[in-house]
Amino acid sequence: MSVKATRQATVIAFLAWLLAVYDYILFGTLLPEIGDHFGWSEATASLVSTLVSVGTAIVALAVGPIVDRIGRRRGMILTVSGTALASAASAATPGAGYLVGVRAFGGLGLSEQAVNATYLNEIYAVTEDEKIKKRRGLVYSAVQGGWPLGVLLAAAFVAIFLPLVGWRGCFLLAVFPAVVIALARRGLKESPQFQLELQMRELRKQGRADEAAELAREYGVEEQPSAPLLSIFKGSALRNTLVLGFAWLVNWFGIQVFAVLGTTVLTEGKQVSFTGSLIMLIVINAIGYLGYLFHGWIGDRFGRRNVIAVGWLISGVLFALTLTVASGTVAVVTLYSLGMFFLIGPYAALLFYMGECYDTQCRATGTAFLNALSQPGAILAGVITTAMLASGSNWSSAALIVGAVGTFVSGLVMFAARKVQTLQG
């Protein structure tokens, strides 16, 4: 892969993920306004958010096998197109049932990070750009940093345009940049590893299995014509599939509470005004972006697994302090920002680490499967939070038990993951 093609793919991947996150977070950011519009109680709004996570999980789970079948480039076009569709359909929401249905398409956008991890992992392994090849973790962290920047963008966008166009208009305006990125992705090149996989598939289809096996040996890849979903539960892949899957599920308790529903935690848990919560989220997620760069850089040097685990342990403690002892704007913003720094920053290392855990024929399936397990985590977090609120608990207590404890536990789980080798080609 040429230097120019590698850098073009990196920039487009970053912009696509930024917009996918913007759409995904926009729903959570606007949930208090949507709930007020339809007259929902706190428990009802939490239930709607939980049901949206169910639909998102179903769609996100299907993306991996599709991408391993149609290719990385087409898969990237599919996910960003899903982002545009989800935004457009959300703007026309007449009620809770419809909203739950259309937000399921957000699962395509959420899968953007899994497809990016698969594609960039493969092209960075064979790129002619030695600067990127030597610092692939750091470079990928800049791409994955689209998450906090997407949250920041959503908060800033809502603060500016909500008074002008309302919450429906905010969703509608998100459609246009996503369409532009989808068109730009048509010019990307397929990864060499997937091109090799397609060549072997064609040989097997023609009854030339011996030639396919010889080609696999020539390029030093493992030939596994079996279904990719089964492959991630076999051999050396099994341990990390189980460990990382559980870590994703539990860590998403914290993501759902502190990132997706950040405005609700701040307004209901810390008695901050809605406008004030938007301003806080802009500052918090700007610091969160630095967390991505830091964890991507340090993961290249000290091992991605340990960096992820330690980061989440620290984050759980910081969020617990935010909810129990922090008082006043400065204290809340400082502790919340640091908690976000160590909560979302490790994902820069995690997504790249996941891509290193699997072979070419099941890499997209493995990363997308683990990515999709975030939504069962969001569902469980929503169910527990809804039950606590319905039984009389306040948002501060619910966020502490579900978000802070869940984040800490996920850090402990990560130490059980198997160390893997950096992908070399």
Side-chain angles (χ1 to χ4, degrees):
M1 185 72 72
S2 69
V3 173
K4 180 180 179 181
T6 302
R7 296 186 178 185
Q8 178 189 23
T10 300
V11 171
I12 293 178
F14 166 74
L15 293 175
W17 178 226
L18 173 70
L19 294 172
V21 173
Y22 165 73
D23 169 77
Y24 183 74
I25 293 296
L26 192 62
F27 167 69
T29 302
L30 289 171
L31 186 59
E33 291 295 309
I34 298 173
D36 287 345
H37 177 84
F38 290 111
W40 297 338
S41 65
E42 288 182 9
T44 299
S46 180
L47 177 61
V48 169
S49 177
T50 302
L51 293 176
V52 166
S53 296
V54 174
T56 301
I58 294 172
V59 174
L61 189 59
V63 171
I66 292 174
V67 173
D68 274 328
R69 175 56 53 184
I70 68 175
R72 316 322 189 197
R73 188 183 71 86
R74 290 180 179 176
M76 295 168 82
I77 294 173
L78 173 67
T79 55
V80 78
S81 298
T83 299
L85 176 62
S87 295
S90 299
T93 300
Y98 173 92
L99 183 63
V100 169
V102 301
R103 288 308 308 170
F105 290 105
L108 291 171
L110 184 64
S111 298
E112 177 71 33
Q113 63 179 339
V115 180
N116 275 350
T118 300
Y119 181 66
L120 295 181
N121 216 315
E122 291 179 351
I123 68 169
Y124 288 173
V126 296
T127 182
E128 296 173 1
D129 191 328
E130 291 299 325
K131 291 183 179 179
I132 286 182
K133 195 168 186 176
K134 290 179 181 178
R135 301 174 181 83
R136 62 183 78 181
L138 176 60
V139 175
Y140 182 73
S141 72
V143 174
Q144 183 60 19
W147 176 280
L149 294 183
V151 179
L152 187 157
L153 178 64
F157 194 83
V158 170
I160 294 170
F161 289 101
L162 183 63
L164 302 176
V165 298
W167 61 267
R168 296 182 190 275
C170 289
F171 278 118
L172 191 59
L173 290 174
V175 176
F176 303 105
V179 171
V180 172
I181 295 299
L183 294 174
R185 277 195 160 170
R186 295 172 64 87
L188 293 180
K189 295 181 178 180
E190 185 55 84
S191 75
Q193 292 91 332
F194 189 75
Q195 289 176 338
L196 176 62
E197 176 67 19
L198 287 179
Q199 191 175 350
M200 290 191 293
R201 285 182 195 172
E202 185 61 29
L203 288 173
R204 287 193 293 265
K205 187 185 297 183
Q206 296 172 4
R208 299 156 64 186
D210 291 342
E211 292 182 43
E214 178 60 32
L215 188 62
R217 285 192 294 270
E218 179 183 346
Y219 283 92
V221 298
E222 184 177 356
E223 190 193 19
Q224 292 183 347
S226 59
L229 188 58
L230 296 178
S231 297
I232 70 174
F233 291 100
K234 292 181 179 180
S236 60
L238 175 61
R239 177 175 164 182
N240 276 356
T241 296
L242 297 178
V243 173
L244 293 179
F246 187 69
W248 264 91
L249 187 147
V250 180
N251 185 259
W252 208 260
F253 282 23
I255 295 291
Q256 182 73 5
V257 170
F258 298 118
V260 178
L261 299 177
T263 51
T264 303
V265 172
L266 290 170
T267 56
E268 303 296 337
K270 302 303 293 184
Q271 288 72 55
V272 178
S273 69
F274 182 73
T275 301
S277 71
L278 292 176
I279 296 172
M280 284 187 179
L281 285 179
I282 292 172
V283 175
I284 288 166
N285 282 282
I287 295 174
Y289 181 73
L290 299 179
Y292 272 95
L293 297 180
F294 172 77
H295 287 89
W297 169 75
I298 200 171
D300 276 338
R301 285 157 177 75
F302 298 104
R304 307 190 210 287
R305 186 200 66 174
N306 293 342
V307 165
I308 297 163
V310 172
W312 285 346
L313 290 175
I314 295 172
S315 177
V317 173
L318 289 169
F319 278 124
L321 292 175
T322 303
L323 294 165
T324 55
V325 302
S327 178
T329 300
V330 174
V332 170
V333 171
T334 299
L335 287 173
Y336 204 117
S337 298
L338 290 173
M340 195 68 72
F341 181 96
F342 288 106
L343 172 62
I344 62 176
Y347 275 89
L350 178 63
L351 268 294
F352 216 70
Y353 176 75
M354 284 161 44
E356 295 168 339
C357 290
Y358 300 106
D359 296 317
T360 301
Q361 71 279 352
C362 65
R363 184 168 292 121
T365 296
T367 54
F369 176 81
L370 296 174
N371 183 61
L373 288 180
S374 64
Q375 294 312 290
I379 294 165
L380 287 175
V383 168
I384 297 170
T385 301
T386 301
M388 291 184 67
L389 293 173
S391 65
S393 295
N394 57 35
W395 258 103
S396 184
S397 298
L400 174 64
I401 293 174
V402 178
V405 173
T407 301
F408 189 86
V409 170
S410 67
L412 293 176
V413 171
M414 276 302 302
F415 284 114
R418 180 177 59 86
K419 293 184 178 180
V420 295
Q421 296 295 317
T422 299
L423 188 64
Q424 296 299 332

